């Protein structure tokens, strides 16, 4: 399978614990995005990387959240001191980069569903 | 920032009938409009997209229309089948060298009744 993969698919944690999610983008896609999706809502942008550089962060990304893409391939999203309000589906997407005229479609992974008790 | 509204939130149609989902956007600078289908427990899957220099695009039973003046775009599914049942999301984006976050609508839950 050459699509976007995410691990784990499900995570249950207690409030106050730290969690880390991993995303592996489609090979050679140099843009990687993180979104959060709560029940009954569309995905909301969190942050995005071009190669290893984190170029944009949403105000939704509080200081408890940190994302990395150290080698420009896979990415991790860490949530520290989790709160019940962090319960959501965390989606990763990737896209190729080629300038204004190139396709910028984002391809989504299956998501990591987080439940904070 | 961009605001995308989507209607209806739920839609039930008989198998074989057509389904139409409508979205409006607020930022006239948006120039790329993808539609995603999301099945339970899965990530969104792109089904069709349209750029602002095109008024309509069709792919088999699925079509999308765009009215830039009115800032709205619609998804049309013809000859619906039970496997079309899912949640559909529209999105708007401004393609730019600096990246393009997608602004999503709130989704439409489509049920196709056999």
């Amino acid at each position: 399978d050459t699509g976007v993969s995410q691990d784990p698919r499900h995570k249950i944690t207690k409030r106050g614990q730290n969690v880390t999610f991993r995303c592996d983008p489609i090979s050679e896609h140099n843009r990687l995005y993180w979104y959060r999706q709560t029940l009954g809502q569309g995905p909301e942008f969190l942050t995005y990387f071009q190669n290893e550089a984190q170029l944009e962060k949403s105000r939704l990304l509080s200081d408890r959240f940190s994302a990395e893409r150290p080698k420009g391939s896979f990415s991790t999203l860490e949530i520290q001191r989790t709160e019940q309000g962090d319960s959501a589906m965390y989606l990763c997407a990737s896209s190729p980069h080629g300038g204004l005229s190139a396709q910028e479609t984002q391809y989504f992974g299956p998501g990591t569903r987080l439940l904070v008790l | 920032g961009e605001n995308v509204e989507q209607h209806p939130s739920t839609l039930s149609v008989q198998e074989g009938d057509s389904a139409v989902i409508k979205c409006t956007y607020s930022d006239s600078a948006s120039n790329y409009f993808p539609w995603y289908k999301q099945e339970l427990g899965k990530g969104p899957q792109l089904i069709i997209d349209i750029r602002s220099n095109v008024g309509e695009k069709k792919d088999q039973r699925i079509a999308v229309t765009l009215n830039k003046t009115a800032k709205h775009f619609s998804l049309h599914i013809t000859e619906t089948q039970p496997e079309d049942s899912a949640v559909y999301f529209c999105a708007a984006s401004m393609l730019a060298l600096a990246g393009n976050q997608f602004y999503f609508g709130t989704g439409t839950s489509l049920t196709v009744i056999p």
Side-chain angles (χ1 to χ4, degrees):
Chain A
D1 184 85
T2 56
V4 178
S5 61
Q6 293 187 245
D7 183 71
R9 295 292 308 278
H10 305 273
K11 179 71 177 178
I12 300 174
T13 190
K14 293 182 179 179
R15 188 176 54 185
Q17 298 295 304
N18 299 342
V19 294
T20 300
F21 310 140
R22 176 179 171 126
C23 170
D24 286 89
I26 294 171
S27 179
E28 298 181 355
H29 278 193
N30 55 12
R31 286 188 178 170
L32 187 149
Y33 302 79
W34 285 99
Y35 289 83
R36 182 178 71 182
Q37 185 178 27
T38 54
L39 203 61
Q41 299 296 316
E44 295 175 292
F45 171 79
L46 291 177
T47 188
Y48 103 94
F49 292 84
Q50 182 161 314
N51 299 313
E52 65 276 7
Q54 188 174 17
L55 297 186
E56 191 173 348
K57 291 193 287 187
S58 163
R59 65 180 183 277
L60 294 175
L61 210 69
S62 74
D63 55 7
R64 297 185 296 106
F65 288 69
S66 62
E68 294 183 343
R69 195 182 182 198
K71 297 182 179 179
S73 56
F74 73 91
S75 175
T76 58
L77 177 68
E78 181 183 16
I79 309 174
Q80 295 182 324
R81 306 181 303 280
T82 51
E83 301 173 354
Q84 289 182 326
D86 297 331
S87 296
M89 172 87 89
Y90 290 85
L91 292 162
C92 175
S94 70
S95 72
H97 170 53
L100 286 170
S101 61
Q103 183 179 5
E104 291 287 352
T105 298
Q106 295 180 20
Y107 298 88
F108 283 82
T112 295
R113 185 169 293 282
L114 172 67
L115 177 60
V116 181
L117 301 176
Chain B
E2 174 67 278
N3 181 47
V4 178
E5 294 189 353
Q6 183 172 348
H7 300 280
S9 57
T10 60
L11 179 60
S12 292
V13 299
Q14 292 288 336
E15 182 177 357
D17 288 351
S18 296
V20 180
I21 302 171
K22 298 182 180 181
C23 289
T24 61
Y25 60 99
S26 61
D27 194 331
S28 57
S30 290
N31 56 10
Y32 177 65
F33 307 92
W35 284 89
Y36 285 86
K37 175 184 181 182
Q38 187 172 27
E39 297 174 328
L40 197 62
K42 297 184 178 180
Q45 178 186 10
L46 178 76
I47 55 171
I48 196 167
D49 57 9
I50 192 168
R51 293 171 184 255
S52 59
N53 58 351
V54 176
E56 182 174 359
K57 184 177 179 181
K58 189 173 182 179
D59 182 6
Q60 298 183 338
R61 297 186 297 110
I62 296 173
V64 57
T65 59
L66 171 65
N67 184 326
K68 285 190 297 182
T69 303
K71 295 205 280 289
H72 68 69
F73 55 113
S74 300
L75 177 72
H76 304 252
I77 306 174
T78 59
E79 301 172 19
T80 53
Q81 302 167 2
E83 51 265 38
D84 293 330
S85 296
V87 179
Y88 290 81
F89 291 97
C90 62
S93 177
M94 288 162 270
L95 296 182
L97 288 173
N100 58 313
Q101 65 168 282
F102 285 4
Y103 296 87
F104 284 86
T106 50
T108 296
S109 178
L110 173 64
T111 301
V112 179
I113 304 166

